[in-house]
Amino acid sequence: MTTPRTILGDGLDVSAIGFGAMAVSGVYGDADPEEALATLHHAVDAGVTFIDTADIYGDGDNERLVGRLLADRRDEVQLATKFGITGSIARKTMRARNDPAYVAQAIDASLARLQVDTIDLYYLHRRDVTVPIEDVVGAMADLVAAGKVRHLGLSEVTAAELDAAHAVHPIAAVQSEWSVWSRDVERQVAPMAAGLGVGFVPYSPLGRGFLTGTLSDPATFADDWRAGLTRFRGDAFDANQAVVRALRGIGAELGATPAQVALAWLRAQGTLLGLPVVPIPGTRKPSRVDENAASADLVLTDEQLRTLDALSGQVVGNRSDFDDPNWTSDTRERGLSAGS
Ligand SMILES: NC(=O)c1ccc[n+]([C@@H]2O[C@H](COP(=O)([O-])OP(=O)(O)OC[C@H]3O[C@@H](n4cnc5c(N)ncnc54)[C@H](OP(=O)(O)O)[C@@H]3O)[C@@H](O)[C@H]2O)c1
């Protein structure tokens, strides 16, 4: 199997479907490191060579695991990692940190864990609004000049932040949540990216598993991160099944799975906006890597796109329930946070 390629901003050439490695360090249920490594190798074998990690995932273990993949396959992979969050995802103690001294410290720690000399795409993971975006991107540009990083990316930035950052150094990609049930980036950020020639990397493109239709019983995720999200609880969880039913119905028309329809929908949004869009679904299972990669060949009809458009406006619950109001671009964009 081969996976097609896409060129993001700043000439960064990646597989058209990437692999998000976060969940192979146990965010959505337990994960075995040896099985996770086998899944990563399988992804690269299948041409899914754009691998996404972050210093915060698994408290550093995720980068160490990806480092084991890279030990003999560095040249086959477009490696993306991120910095800018301190604390722990598992303990929900995350805080954003963007000061230039921290940037210099974070890159060296990531390079050491990954056991590489250069990172292909280095993202700012979260905005710390006490530091001007120009200052943090300036410090990131110094890493490009030093040869430690090839391209720069930004996660959860507003359109205005992206515009200001891109004036300091070309930005290859914005990574923010985007899927059939999380569409706020379409208001301003994605059009700004399209206008600037910046690519888009939707995270949680399968709605943290919800959009795959495999999560019918809340008991199966009662012990993981998703149990804390309103969209996954009670009446909201039940109401949001309407989106899954639509994905399943469209999948039946096309001979595809709900996950494949959800990923093809994202690519269709990219076509509509004139924006290179490369989703990074994550999975612990090799067979699902193949299933997700095969979505690159799937094309939805206008009527199918209209059906999903209508339903996505009816989603119940916010995409983020985190206690920091600056955590997502959505709240800053709408002026709902203290720092905006
Ligand atoms: N920048 C940020 O702030 C940010 C935030 C969140 C995520 N991310 C990145 O985005 C990546 C993807 O997001 P995500 O992991 O949150 O969510 P996701 O990719 O939307 O969903 C992952 C979940 O879907 C399941 N899954 C994957 N493919 C499937 C398929 N074909 N059929 C059925 N179930 C399937 C996986 O379970 P199994 O393992 O059981 O297959 C997993 O629980 C992360 O790994 C991370 O790299 C970035």
Side-chain angles (χ1 to χ4, degrees):
M1 193 178 92
T2 55
T3 303
R5 312 284 300 176
T6 296
I7 299 179
L8 295 169
D10 202 24
L12 178 58
D13 185 331
V14 299
S15 55
I17 301 282
F19 183 89
M22 177 178 76
V24 300
S25 290
V27 177
Y28 310 134
D30 293 339
D32 174 75
E34 298 313 314
E35 287 173 18
L37 186 59
T39 301
L40 281 164
H41 275 290
H42 183 84
V44 179
D45 290 342
V48 176
T49 55
F50 182 36
I51 307 290
D52 188 88
T53 179
D55 57 4
I56 190 83
Y57 297 163
D59 298 327
D61 283 349
N62 198 252
E63 282 190 334
R64 287 185 200 96
L65 184 73
V66 171
R68 289 173 64 195
L69 167 79
L70 299 173
D72 54 357
R73 307 193 75 166
R74 178 67 189 93
D75 294 346
E76 296 172 76
V77 170
Q78 298 82 55
L79 169 64
T81 192
K82 319 181 194 78
F83 79 97
I85 301 179
T86 62
S88 158
I89 293 178
R91 293 189 295 281
K92 296 196 176 173
T93 56
M94 301 102 77
R95 285 292 173 258
R97 183 168 173 193
N98 290 181
D99 55 286
Y102 180 66
V103 178
Q105 184 187 318
I107 184 69
D108 289 340
S110 280
L111 291 171
R113 279 188 293 266
L114 289 158
Q115 290 286 292
V116 296
D117 300 326
T118 312
I119 286 158
D120 298 308
L121 176 57
Y122 199 45
Y123 289 104
L124 172 65
H125 205 163
R126 276 297 180 285
R127 279 289 290 133
D128 160 4
V129 294
T130 66
V131 178
I133 188 88
E134 291 85 351
D135 291 2
V136 62
V137 174
M140 292 167 74
D142 290 344
L143 305 180
V144 178
K148 296 181 179 184
V149 166
R150 293 201 174 97
H151 302 273
L152 302 185
L154 303 168
S155 178
E156 290 288 355
V157 287
T158 64
E161 289 164 346
L162 171 60
D163 197 22
H166 194 68
V168 175
H169 189 281
I171 301 299
V174 169
Q175 178 177 135
S176 287
E177 184 166 359
W178 191 6
S179 69
V180 176
W181 76 344
S182 294
R183 301 189 59 181
D184 57 87
V185 293
E186 292 171 41
R187 279 196 309 260
Q188 294 184 17
V189 191
M192 175 64 78
L196 294 173
V198 172
F200 211 108
V201 176
Y203 79 68
S204 301
L206 300 174
R208 304 176 194 269
F210 183 86
L211 301 173
T212 68
T214 57
L215 294 180
S216 51
D217 180 2
T220 58
F221 54 83
D223 296 328
D224 75 45
W225 176 265
R226 294 169 292 197
L229 301 174
T230 51
R231 284 182 176 184
F232 284 84
R233 288 205 301 258
D235 292 347
F237 183 78
D238 295 339
N240 292 332
Q241 296 298 331
V243 181
V244 175
R245 282 193 292 275
L247 290 167
R248 191 174 280 123
I250 292 167
E253 291 166 12
L254 297 169
T257 65
Q260 290 172 325
V261 175
L263 295 171
W265 177 88
L266 273 168
R267 248 201 3 278
Q269 305 314 302
T271 304
L272 288 170
L273 286 163
L275 175 69
V277 169
V278 177
I280 48 167
T283 177
R284 295 163 294 182
K285 301 182 177 67
S287 62
R288 289 178 172 175
V289 171
D290 295 341
E291 177 186 333
N292 296 341
S295 72
D297 296 327
L298 194 66
V299 179
L300 307 187
T301 66
D302 290 346
E303 191 184 338
Q304 290 165 340
L305 291 171
R306 276 195 296 275
T307 300
L308 293 172
D309 260 348
L311 280 166
S312 58
Q314 296 166 24
V315 169
V316 181
N318 298 326
R319 71 176 172 92
S320 168
D321 299 313
F322 198 56
D323 63 1
D324 177 354
N326 286 308
W327 202 246
T328 59
S329 58
D330 176 39
T331 44
R332 294 202 304 286
E333 181 181 287
R334 289 186 293 138
L336 301 179
S337 66
S340 57

